[in-house]
Amino acid sequence: MSTAAVILIRIALLAAFLGAWEFLPRTGIVNPMLLPPLSLVIETLGDILGRGDFREAMLVTTAEVLVAFIIAVPLGGAIGVLAAEHAYFGAIFRPMLFYVFSIPKSIFLPMFILAFGIGFEQKVAYATFSTIFIVIMSASAAVESVKADYVLVAQSYGATRAQILRRIYIPSMMPILLETLRISMIFNFTGVMIAEMYASRTGVGHMIANWGENFMLPQLFAGVVVLAVAAMSFNELVRYMEARCSTWRS
Amino acid sequence: MQHMAQLSLGQEQSQGAAVEVRGLGHIYAGRDGAVPALTDIDLNVPAGRFVVIVGPSGCGKTSLLMMLAGLRTQTSGTILVDGRSIATPDPSRVGVVFQEASLYPWLTAVENVEFPLVLKNAPRDERRARAEAMLNLVGLSGFGGRYPHELSGGMKQRVSIARGLVQDPPVLLMDEPFAALDEQTRMTMGHELLRIWSQTSKTVVFITHSLTEAVYLADEVIVMSARPGRILDRVPIDLPRPRTYQMMATDVFGALRERIWHQIRDVP
C-alpha cells in the first residue's frame, strides 16, 4: 500500500472518530451525560484554558512532571550504568531491581502520602519512584548494547577512556537512551496523574478527578484533551530526535 | 669484544625485522588455575613481508596478535615492533584489521576510516583528505558517504583495511578479516589485499583458518599447535608474485597446502 493511501485512510479514520464523537451524543445513541459531544468539549476547553485556577493547576502539574523527570532520569541512568558496568554492584542489586520493577508501583502510594503528605514533594517523590526502575533497566540495556569489539577497535587506535566514552559509548547508546527518555516520560506523567487524582489539592489530575466526581463531563474531557496533547507532543519530539540519531540503524 | 658483537647483533635485528618476537609465553588465569596459552614463540618478520599464521582454534593466534597490537600483555618474552617494544597500542606503528563487524554503524565509511585520526585531533580537512585517499586505495572511492549497513561484507572489510592504513603504520595486523565472507568474495578480497600490499609495501601479519588463503597470500606460513600454542613449522611459500588464481591448481601449491594440513590435522 502506498504511503499516500495509508495517510488518507488515517485521516478518514480520525474524521470518522471525531464525527462519531459529535454525532452519537447529539442523536442520543450514546448518553450525552457520559460522552459530551465534541463541539461542547471544544467550547469548554476554551473556557477552562482561560480560567486562572486551571492554568495554575497546569503549572503545578508541569513543574511536578519536570522535577520528577530531572531527578529520575539521571539518577536511574547512573544506577543502570553502574549495574551494567560494575560487576559486584550488578551482581548484588540487579536481581532486586528486577523484582521491584515487576511490582505495580501504585500500591505504594499510601506510603508516600504518609511520608510526604499530599503536596508537591509527594507527587515528585512518587513519580520519581514509579519512573526510576524503567530508567535503570533501560540504561543497563543501553550499556550492554555497546559491543566489546567497538571498544577494542578504539583501544587499538590508542583511544583514551574519555574518548571511548564520548566516541563509542554515547553514540552507540544514543538510540536506546532516547527511547528511554520517551518511555520514562510516560511512566513519570502517569505517576504524577495517579498521585494527583488519588489525593491532592491542586494539579490537572486533581481537577479532572473532581470534575469526574461532580459529573462535569465536558470539563473532564477538555482536561483529558489538554493532557493528551501535552503527552503526545513530548513523545513526538523525542521520536523526531530518535529518527535523526538513528539513521545508521538498519 | 663480546659487547660489540651483541651491539651489532641488536642493530642488525632492529634494522631488518619489522616484527620481532623472542621467547614469548603467555599464561592466563583460568577457572582451574593457570593455563599456558602460548609457549616459546619466536618470530622474525622482515619489513615488507607477508606472514600468515595458521593453527587450530584456541591455539592462541588471536592472543598473539593482540599482544603484537599492544592490546594484551604477555607473561614472558619480548616483542619489538619497528625496533621498539610495544606495551600499549601504538597506531603509528601498528594498524589492526579485525574480524567482521568492527566498523562503527553510526559513522559513515569515510568517518570510520578517519576515526583513528579523529582520536589524534588531526585537522578536519587533513584527515578527510587522508581518509578519502585510503578509500580510493581500497577501491571504494565514491562510497565514503555510505553507512556500514549500506555496504556489502567485502566492502566493509575494504573500509576496515583503509582504516588500518590511515595512519600509515609500517605493520598491519589482520585477524581473520575475511572469515565471514562467502568463498568468492573471499578470493577477490585476498587478491585485492595483495594489490594493496604491493602498493603500500607494508609488513603484514595475517591470521586465518583457510589453508588455501594462507598459501595464496603468504611469503611464509607459520603453523601453530593446539594449546599451549607453539610454532610447529615455518613454511616458506616461494610461489612467484604476483599470485594468480591459476596457481592454486598447481602441484607446488597443493604440496605446500598438504605440508601445512598434515601438521594441523594431527592435533586432536
Side-chain angles (χ1 to χ4, degrees), chain A residues 181-204:
Chain A
L181 280 191
R182 209 162 60 77
I183 293 169
S184 53
M185 185 51 106
I186 294 173
F187 277 71
N188 181 30
F189 206 0
T190 308
V192 168
M193 281 303 118
I194 288 173
E196 282 185 353
M197 293 176 81
Y198 190 77
S200 187
R201 281 189 213 93
T202 179
V204 180

mmCIF file of all heavy atoms in Angstrom, chain A residues 181-204:
data_model
loop_
_atom_site.group_PDB
_atom_site.id
_atom_site.type_symbol
_atom_site.label_atom_id
_atom_site.label_comp_id
_atom_site.label_asym_id
_atom_site.label_seq_id
_atom_site.Cartn_x
_atom_site.Cartn_y
_atom_site.Cartn_z
ATOM 1 N N LEU A 181 14.154 8.013 27.375
ATOM 2 C CA LEU A 181 13.554 9.305 27.712
ATOM 3 C C LEU A 181 12.053 9.277 27.446
ATOM 4 O O LEU A 181 11.242 9.722 28.251
ATOM 5 C CB LEU A 181 14.161 10.422 26.857
ATOM 6 C CG LEU A 181 15.507 10.990 27.247
ATOM 7 C CD1 LEU A 181 15.781 12.244 26.438
ATOM 8 C CD2 LEU A 181 15.528 11.318 28.730
ATOM 9 N N ARG A 182 11.711 8.753 26.301
ATOM 10 C CA ARG A 182 10.323 8.732 25.863
ATOM 11 C C ARG A 182 9.475 7.873 26.810
ATOM 12 O O ARG A 182 8.437 8.310 27.303
ATOM 13 C CB ARG A 182 10.279 8.140 24.448
ATOM 14 C CG ARG A 182 9.180 8.615 23.576
ATOM 15 C CD ARG A 182 9.510 8.303 22.125
ATOM 16 N NE ARG A 182 9.685 6.885 21.875
ATOM 17 C CZ ARG A 182 8.683 6.031 21.763
ATOM 18 N NH1 ARG A 182 7.446 6.453 21.863
ATOM 19 N NH2 ARG A 182 8.913 4.770 21.530
ATOM 20 N N ILE A 183 9.962 6.673 27.078
ATOM 21 C CA ILE A 183 9.188 5.754 27.912
ATOM 22 C C ILE A 183 9.138 6.240 29.355
ATOM 23 O O ILE A 183 8.110 6.149 30.018
ATOM 24 C CB ILE A 183 9.780 4.328 27.827
ATOM 25 C CG1 ILE A 183 9.560 3.798 26.410
ATOM 26 C CG2 ILE A 183 9.147 3.400 28.842
ATOM 27 C CD1 ILE A 183 10.306 2.540 26.098
ATOM 28 N N SER A 184 10.269 6.806 29.835
ATOM 29 C CA SER A 184 10.263 7.254 31.227
ATOM 30 C C SER A 184 9.307 8.436 31.401
ATOM 31 O O SER A 184 8.700 8.581 32.455
ATOM 32 C CB SER A 184 11.670 7.600 31.716
ATOM 33 O OG SER A 184 12.278 8.509 30.851
ATOM 34 N N MET A 185 9.141 9.267 30.364
ATOM 35 C CA MET A 185 8.176 10.360 30.477
ATOM 36 C C MET A 185 6.755 9.813 30.592
ATOM 37 O O MET A 185 5.937 10.350 31.340
ATOM 38 C CB MET A 185 8.299 11.307 29.276
ATOM 39 C CG MET A 185 7.412 12.540 29.379
ATOM 40 S SD MET A 185 7.599 13.416 30.961
ATOM 41 C CE MET A 185 8.512 14.842 30.466
ATOM 42 N N ILE A 186 6.469 8.723 29.908
ATOM 43 C CA ILE A 186 5.132 8.116 30.006
ATOM 44 C C ILE A 186 4.891 7.632 31.443
ATOM 45 O O ILE A 186 3.854 7.920 32.050
ATOM 46 C CB ILE A 186 5.001 6.933 29.010
ATOM 47 C CG1 ILE A 186 5.072 7.459 27.562
ATOM 48 C CG2 ILE A 186 3.700 6.172 29.242
ATOM 49 C CD1 ILE A 186 5.134 6.374 26.506
ATOM 50 N N PHE A 187 5.875 6.940 32.019
ATOM 51 C CA PHE A 187 5.745 6.448 33.393
ATOM 52 C C PHE A 187 5.620 7.610 34.375
ATOM 53 O O PHE A 187 4.820 7.579 35.308
ATOM 54 C CB PHE A 187 6.962 5.588 33.769
ATOM 55 C CG PHE A 187 6.851 4.168 33.306
ATOM 56 C CD1 PHE A 187 6.940 3.846 31.962
ATOM 57 C CD2 PHE A 187 6.645 3.137 34.214
ATOM 58 C CE1 PHE A 187 6.838 2.544 31.519
ATOM 59 C CE2 PHE A 187 6.541 1.821 33.783
ATOM 60 C CZ PHE A 187 6.638 1.527 32.447
ATOM 61 N N ASN A 188 6.453 8.621 34.144
ATOM 62 C CA ASN A 188 6.526 9.787 35.009
ATOM 63 C C ASN A 188 5.198 10.544 35.027
ATOM 64 O O ASN A 188 4.637 10.860 36.087
ATOM 65 C CB ASN A 188 7.661 10.640 34.446
ATOM 66 C CG ASN A 188 7.909 11.892 35.222
ATOM 67 O OD1 ASN A 188 7.691 11.924 36.417
ATOM 68 N ND2 ASN A 188 8.362 12.915 34.545
ATOM 69 N N PHE A 189 4.669 10.808 33.869
ATOM 70 C CA PHE A 189 3.407 11.521 33.711
ATOM 71 C C PHE A 189 2.285 10.724 34.375
ATOM 72 O O PHE A 189 1.456 11.267 35.123
ATOM 73 C CB PHE A 189 3.125 11.693 32.209
ATOM 74 C CG PHE A 189 2.260 12.854 31.861
ATOM 75 C CD1 PHE A 189 1.763 13.708 32.834
ATOM 76 C CD2 PHE A 189 1.924 13.116 30.538
ATOM 77 C CE1 PHE A 189 0.960 14.788 32.496
ATOM 78 C CE2 PHE A 189 1.126 14.180 30.189
ATOM 79 C CZ PHE A 189 0.634 15.020 31.175
ATOM 80 N N THR A 190 2.280 9.418 34.129
ATOM 81 C CA THR A 190 1.271 8.549 34.745
ATOM 82 C C THR A 190 1.366 8.630 36.264
ATOM 83 O O THR A 190 0.349 8.726 36.957
ATOM 84 C CB THR A 190 1.488 7.091 34.286
ATOM 85 O OG1 THR A 190 1.553 7.072 32.864
ATOM 86 C CG2 THR A 190 0.370 6.185 34.762
ATOM 87 N N GLY A 191 2.606 8.607 36.784
ATOM 88 C CA GLY A 191 2.811 8.675 38.225
ATOM 89 C C GLY A 191 2.235 9.947 38.815
ATOM 90 O O GLY A 191 1.508 9.917 39.822
ATOM 91 N N VAL A 192 2.519 11.081 38.189
ATOM 92 C CA VAL A 192 2.007 12.367 38.686
ATOM 93 C C VAL A 192 0.477 12.375 38.633
ATOM 94 O O VAL A 192 -0.195 12.793 39.591
ATOM 95 C CB VAL A 192 2.596 13.534 37.871
ATOM 96 C CG1 VAL A 192 1.863 14.836 38.179
ATOM 97 C CG2 VAL A 192 4.084 13.691 38.160
ATOM 98 N N MET A 193 -0.086 11.887 37.548
ATOM 99 C CA MET A 193 -1.545 11.884 37.401
ATOM 100 C C MET A 193 -2.211 11.047 38.488
ATOM 101 O O MET A 193 -3.179 11.465 39.122
ATOM 102 C CB MET A 193 -1.948 11.328 36.027
ATOM 103 C CG MET A 193 -1.804 12.304 34.892
ATOM 104 S SD MET A 193 -2.755 13.795 35.215
ATOM 105 C CE MET A 193 -1.452 14.985 35.242
ATOM 106 N N ILE A 194 -1.671 9.832 38.697
ATOM 107 C CA ILE A 194 -2.266 8.943 39.703
ATOM 108 C C ILE A 194 -2.200 9.604 41.073
ATOM 109 O O ILE A 194 -3.182 9.633 41.817
ATOM 110 C CB ILE A 194 -1.543 7.579 39.714
ATOM 111 C CG1 ILE A 194 -1.919 6.800 38.444
ATOM 112 C CG2 ILE A 194 -1.910 6.769 40.950
ATOM 113 C CD1 ILE A 194 -1.144 5.512 38.269
ATOM 114 N N ALA A 195 -1.026 10.171 41.388
ATOM 115 C CA ALA A 195 -0.856 10.805 42.693
ATOM 116 C C ALA A 195 -1.806 11.994 42.848
ATOM 117 O O ALA A 195 -2.397 12.196 43.910
ATOM 118 C CB ALA A 195 0.594 11.249 42.875
ATOM 119 N N GLU A 196 -1.974 12.765 41.793
ATOM 120 C CA GLU A 196 -2.864 13.923 41.879
ATOM 121 C C GLU A 196 -4.326 13.501 41.998
ATOM 122 O O GLU A 196 -5.121 14.128 42.703
ATOM 123 C CB GLU A 196 -2.696 14.811 40.631
ATOM 124 C CG GLU A 196 -1.458 15.682 40.677
ATOM 125 C CD GLU A 196 -1.384 16.635 39.497
ATOM 126 O OE1 GLU A 196 -2.223 16.522 38.568
ATOM 127 O OE2 GLU A 196 -0.486 17.489 39.506
ATOM 128 N N MET A 197 -4.687 12.455 41.296
ATOM 129 C CA MET A 197 -6.083 12.028 41.323
ATOM 130 C C MET A 197 -6.423 11.340 42.640
ATOM 131 O O MET A 197 -7.561 11.354 43.080
ATOM 132 C CB MET A 197 -6.372 11.086 40.139
ATOM 133 C CG MET A 197 -6.285 11.806 38.801
ATOM 134 S SD MET A 197 -6.494 10.725 37.390
ATOM 135 C CE MET A 197 -8.265 10.589 37.334
ATOM 136 N N TYR A 198 -5.411 10.729 43.256
ATOM 137 C CA TYR A 198 -5.643 9.967 44.478
ATOM 138 C C TYR A 198 -5.828 10.894 45.679
ATOM 139 O O TYR A 198 -6.788 10.756 46.440
ATOM 140 C CB TYR A 198 -4.460 9.023 44.697
ATOM 141 C CG TYR A 198 -4.654 8.000 45.780
ATOM 142 C CD1 TYR A 198 -5.437 6.885 45.551
ATOM 143 C CD2 TYR A 198 -4.027 8.136 47.014
ATOM 144 C CE1 TYR A 198 -5.610 5.927 46.543
ATOM 145 C CE2 TYR A 198 -4.193 7.200 48.001
ATOM 146 C CZ TYR A 198 -4.991 6.089 47.770
ATOM 147 O OH TYR A 198 -5.140 5.146 48.746
ATOM 148 N N ALA A 199 -4.913 11.829 45.829
ATOM 149 C CA ALA A 199 -5.003 12.762 46.958
ATOM 150 C C ALA A 199 -4.205 14.010 46.633
ATOM 151 O O ALA A 199 -2.990 13.937 46.511
ATOM 152 C CB ALA A 199 -4.459 12.123 48.233
ATOM 153 N N SER A 200 -4.924 15.124 46.477
ATOM 154 C CA SER A 200 -4.224 16.355 46.149
ATOM 155 C C SER A 200 -5.145 17.547 46.360
ATOM 156 O O SER A 200 -6.363 17.392 46.468
ATOM 157 C CB SER A 200 -3.759 16.309 44.688
ATOM 158 O OG SER A 200 -2.938 17.411 44.406
ATOM 159 N N ARG A 201 -4.541 18.735 46.388
ATOM 160 C CA ARG A 201 -5.359 19.948 46.460
ATOM 161 C C ARG A 201 -5.286 20.736 45.158
ATOM 162 O O ARG A 201 -6.036 21.675 44.961
ATOM 163 C CB ARG A 201 -4.890 20.828 47.625
ATOM 164 C CG ARG A 201 -5.409 20.348 48.957
ATOM 165 C CD ARG A 201 -5.107 21.345 50.059
ATOM 166 N NE ARG A 201 -4.886 20.623 51.305
ATOM 167 C CZ ARG A 201 -3.704 20.235 51.738
ATOM 168 N NH1 ARG A 201 -2.615 20.528 51.062
ATOM 169 N NH2 ARG A 201 -3.600 19.578 52.870
ATOM 170 N N THR A 202 -4.337 20.374 44.320
ATOM 171 C CA THR A 202 -4.205 21.104 43.056
ATOM 172 C C THR A 202 -3.681 20.173 41.963
ATOM 173 O O THR A 202 -3.546 18.975 42.194
ATOM 174 C CB THR A 202 -3.295 22.344 43.240
ATOM 175 O OG1 THR A 202 -3.172 23.001 41.985
ATOM 176 C CG2 THR A 202 -1.901 21.924 43.706
ATOM 177 N N GLY A 203 -3.421 20.742 40.805
ATOM 178 C CA GLY A 203 -2.923 19.939 39.686
ATOM 179 C C GLY A 203 -4.050 19.537 38.746
ATOM 180 O O GLY A 203 -5.217 19.463 39.134
ATOM 181 N N VAL A 204 -3.678 19.278 37.494
ATOM 182 C CA VAL A 204 -4.675 18.930 36.479
ATOM 183 C C VAL A 204 -5.359 17.605 36.823
ATOM 184 O O VAL A 204 -6.580 17.449 36.661
ATOM 185 C CB VAL A 204 -4.020 18.855 35.077
ATOM 186 C CG1 VAL A 204 -5.063 18.502 34.014
ATOM 187 C CG2 VAL A 204 -3.367 20.181 34.724
#
